[in-house]
Amino acid sequence: SQQGEEDPQALSIQEGENATMNCSYKTSINNLQWYRQNSGRGLVHLILIRSNEREKHSGRLRVTLDTSKKSSSLLITASRAADTASYFCATGSPSGANNLFFGTGTRLTVIP
Amino acid sequence: DAGVIQSPRHEVTEMGQEVTLRCKPISGHNSLFWYRQTMMRGLELLIYFNNNVPIDDSGMPEDRFSAKMPNASFSTLKIQPSEPRDSAVYFCASSGDGTGELFFGEGSRLTVL
């Protein structure tokens, strides 16, 4: 299966702290994406990193990708209570098909 | 743009009944995806369409599930007959703006009693 796995499954931190979530996957990819899901809502795209990139930033988000280890990390700096959500990584197939396979998610709770 | 629109948001039905979930993708997007989310199995890709043509339906659990996309602005996912194990949140997503990003609807929460 191409499905990724996030680690940890759940993370609880204080507001203002940084949150780091990791994703491991099994097959070759052409890109890796991170999504956020608030409770009872649909997923929202956060950031995409291509297989030839190693690091990408977007606001308080920093994503790294290590294709040799088949892993990625998402760092949220200076967390806020509003960041409380589930975070998923998703991998795109190198075949060029545009379907994505999602990981199991990390449930982040930011305590005000 | 209104985003991806799914209906119904919630459906409660009895085992054996037919269920039809609907999706309107974002205008101009040429790919449409159906996902199912459960606590046990996470997000599973059921089927996806490109330019209204089903490309990969290997994730469709069994013959009770069928999906159609009669035109670029409408898709349905049908379960007939429904079973309690089909209870899940079903998401529709579309893409096609060239970024590789998926745009998700708010989901249809299905409960089969």
Side-chain angles (χ1 to χ4, degrees), chain A:
Chain A
S1 165
Q2 285 185 251
Q3 189 175 34
E5 267 191 40
E6 283 89 345
D7 167 56
Q9 287 189 337
L11 180 61
S12 185
I13 59 174
Q14 295 288 332
E15 200 165 32
E17 294 181 338
N18 296 342
T20 300
M21 290 160 269
N22 303 296
C23 168
S24 59
Y25 56 92
K26 296 175 183 172
T27 64
S28 298
I29 60 171
N30 65 356
N31 69 72
L32 186 143
Q33 302 180 36
W34 284 89
Y35 286 77
R36 165 198 169 119
Q37 183 181 32
N38 285 61
S39 182
R41 306 295 299 275
L43 282 78
V44 175
H45 180 263
L46 294 175
I47 194 166
L48 179 152
I49 186 166
R50 302 200 183 281
S51 59
N52 61 354
E53 297 176 307
R54 291 298 167 257
E55 187 170 314
K56 202 161 184 181
H57 297 253
S58 176
R60 293 184 296 112
L61 305 180
R62 174 178 167 251
V63 170
T64 62
L65 178 64
D66 186 336
T67 53
S68 67
K69 294 181 180 178
K70 292 186 168 56
S71 67
S72 172
S73 68
L74 171 68
L75 168 68
I76 303 174
T77 60
S79 63
R80 305 166 183 168
D83 294 329
T84 294
S86 292
Y87 292 81
F88 296 86
C89 67
T91 52
S93 167
S95 69
N98 52 1
N99 49 321
L100 291 180
F101 295 91
F102 284 82
T104 49
T106 292
R107 175 71 192 167
L108 173 67
T109 301
V110 181
I111 303 166

